[in-house]
């Protein structure tokens, strides 16, 4: 049942983006170039039901994708629509509780610059409707598990 609800949620988000014309100013639309943050990719620490996890500048939970190899993202196209990568046009910034030395960047297949933390590309989840939600935790979309990250850069298993 949870899987069906996730699929329905993604379909609703896709419909809403299409209805709005697919804005390119950040947000969650725009296909493979979707990003959860425009400009500088900021990463902070916030409390959720999983404990303290990494979040983007809007307070949305950040996840890692276990299919990624090192800093190279394996999430493009439809995957990047459901799991928008955190991207940046400059150096990523660290908020309170985040280890700045663990922040980095890596070029994505679509030419954008993705933000990494402790060597992991970072993503939000389109199914998280509000800051602090963690509904993407443990899902196995696109062939591998997705997990929130701690400030140490380790998976948070919920």
């Amino acid at each position: 049942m949870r899987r069906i609800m996730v699929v329905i949620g993604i379909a609703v988000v896709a419909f809403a983006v299409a209805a709005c014309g697919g804005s390119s100013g950040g947000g969650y639309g725009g296909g493979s170039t979707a990003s959860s943050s425009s400009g500088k990719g900021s990463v902070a620490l916030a409390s959720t039901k999983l404990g303290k996890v990494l979040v983007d500048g809007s307070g949305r939970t950040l996840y890692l994708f276990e299919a990624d190899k090192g800093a190279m993202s394996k999430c493009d196209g439809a995957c990047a629509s459901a799991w928008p990568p955190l991207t940046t046009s400059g150096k990523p910034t660290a908020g309170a509780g985040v280890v700045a030395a663990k922040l980095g960047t890596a070029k994505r297949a679509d030419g954008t610059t993705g933000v990494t933390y402790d060597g992991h590309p970072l993503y939000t989840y389109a199914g998280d409707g509000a800051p602090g939600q963690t509904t993407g935790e443990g899902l196995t979309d696109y062939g591998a598990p997705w997990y929130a990250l701690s400030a140490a850069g380790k998976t948070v298993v919920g």
Side-chain angles (χ1 to χ4, degrees):
M1 183 69 176
R2 181 175 180 204
R3 174 70 78 197
I4 291 170
M5 295 305 293
V6 168
V7 170
I8 290 170
I10 290 171
V12 169
V13 169
F15 179 76
V17 168
C20 293
S23 166
S24 62
Y28 290 90
S32 65
T33 59
S35 67
S36 60
S37 179
S38 61
K40 289 190 176 187
S42 62
V43 178
L45 199 60
S47 293
T48 68
K49 69 177 186 171
L50 298 173
K52 290 191 180 231
V53 301
L54 298 181
V55 297
D56 70 3
S58 298
R60 298 181 70 94
T61 301
L62 292 168
Y63 299 89
L64 67 78
F65 182 37
E66 291 218 335
D68 290 341
K69 300 300 178 209
M72 285 303 300
S73 173
K74 298 286 185 188
C75 182
D76 295 304
C79 177
S81 291
W83 295 90
L86 179 62
T87 60
T88 185
S89 59
K91 185 177 178 179
T93 57
V98 174
V99 180
K102 290 184 181 282
L103 282 173
T105 59
K107 283 291 180 194
R108 295 183 41 78
D110 65 5
T112 60
T113 302
V115 177
T116 63
Y117 193 78
D118 200 28
H120 304 288
L122 300 174
Y123 308 87
T124 58
Y125 177 53
D128 286 345
Q133 289 187 336
T134 58
T135 59
E137 176 70 14
L139 294 181
T140 56
D141 297 352
Y142 302 96
W146 297 83
Y147 296 108
L149 288 123
S150 69
K154 304 299 180 202
T155 59
V156 176
V157 179

